Amino acid sequence: MADTGKENSIKIKICGLYRGEDIEAVNRYQPDYAGFVFYPLSHRYVSKSLMYVWRERLDKRIPAVGVFVDLPEEEVADYWKAGLVQVIQLHGGESEEYIRRLRKLAPGCEIWKAFRIRTAAELTEARESGAGRVLLDNGYGTGQCFDWKLMENCRIERPFLLASGLRAENIQEAIQSFQPWGLDVSSGAETDKKKDPEKIRSIIETVRK
């Protein structure tokens, strides 16, 4: 974990790193987590062979989070066993049984599960998930916030990461309104679909104030 000096501070994950410049930026500004997408249909896709390079270059104090979409459990666990990721984030339709099987294949690995939030029922599903942490999302890379009003009437009542549409301009509102355990930022830290070091800096400084 990156040493922020604030054990109880809100965690920051900068996700969708796929270039050498991205690694340099997170090494410089030290988010709590660095996210890598192993989904071939994403423009942020990182191959397994390239991940060996990025994990070697990434500051050892920053855990790498692997984002997976409906891959066989054995394939996902192999990334952890190889030391390429320290956290597994499931971003597809993975079931509770899938999570149980994966936990046996990757004992001791932290497992996060993302939920696409459209209704209060989906918030309830996230609250009851067996994953170690849950991530509340709008829908896999849309760059738009889900309807935050849903959370006003249906509190999730467990530590969670808030994702989708987060940027320096609305992060303070998100923190004050929902007190998330963590923030997952991807497109909000980009310019023209590429990570912007200045936006990364601004987001991290805004949260840690």
Side-chain angles (χ1 to χ4, degrees), residues 93-112:
E94 298 88 359
S95 66
E96 288 296 302
E97 179 58 30
Y98 179 106
I99 293 172
R100 284 190 288 270
R101 291 195 299 265
L102 179 59
R103 188 168 279 124
K104 290 180 181 179
L105 292 168
C109 180
E110 190 167 353
I111 299 173
W112 300 354

Side-chain angles (χ1 to χ4, degrees), residues 136-187:
L136 308 184
D137 202 354
N138 183 44
Y140 316 151
T142 65
Q144 302 296 319
C145 302
F146 66 87
D147 184 0
W148 287 355
K149 291 182 180 178
L150 289 169
M151 294 184 63
E152 295 175 2
N153 300 316
C154 184
R155 306 297 284 187
I156 192 166
E157 298 173 346
R158 67 177 288 178
F160 66 92
L161 291 96
L162 192 62
S164 281
L166 294 173
R167 52 194 183 278
E169 294 79 8
N170 66 1
I171 277 178
Q172 287 186 342
E173 178 188 355
I175 292 171
Q176 292 168 0
S177 298
F178 307 117
Q179 296 83 49
W181 176 85
L183 300 171
D184 188 319
V185 182
S186 186
S187 60

Side-chain angles (χ1 to χ4, degrees), residues 1-14 30-33 110 112 133 160-162 166 171 175 180-185 203-204 207-208:
M1 179 80 59
D3 182 9
T4 66
K6 296 181 179 180
E7 290 297 323
N8 297 317
S9 64
I10 291 172
K11 307 305 178 187
I12 308 164
K13 172 173 166 259
I14 302 296
Q30 293 284 305
D32 298 283
Y33 297 92
E110 190 167 353
W112 300 354
R133 301 204 185 276
F160 66 92
L161 291 96
L162 192 62
L166 294 173
I171 277 178
I175 292 171
W181 176 85
L183 300 171
D184 188 319
V185 182
I203 287 165
I204 293 174
V207 174
R208 291 186 176 155

Side-chain angles (χ1 to χ4, degrees), residues 70-118:
D70 296 320
L71 277 182
E73 302 96 310
E74 294 81 5
E75 288 187 35
V76 174
D78 281 346
Y79 280 78
W80 175 76
K81 291 175 182 177
L84 297 178
V85 302
Q86 287 66 58
V87 179
I88 290 170
Q89 180 177 317
L90 305 174
H91 236 285
E94 298 88 359
S95 66
E96 288 296 302
E97 179 58 30
Y98 179 106
I99 293 172
R100 284 190 288 270
R101 291 195 299 265
L102 179 59
R103 188 168 279 124
K104 290 180 181 179
L105 292 168
C109 180
E110 190 167 353
I111 299 173
W112 300 354
K113 177 73 176 81
F115 289 85
R116 182 179 178 181
I117 303 302
R118 290 289 186 273

Side-chain angles (χ1 to χ4, degrees), residues 189-206:
E190 293 179 346
T191 299
D192 297 328
K193 293 188 175 183
K194 295 178 181 177
K195 289 293 178 287
D196 185 324
E198 180 58 25
K199 288 184 178 180
I200 291 174
R201 180 199 62 77
S202 178
I203 287 165
I204 293 174
E205 287 186 356
T206 298

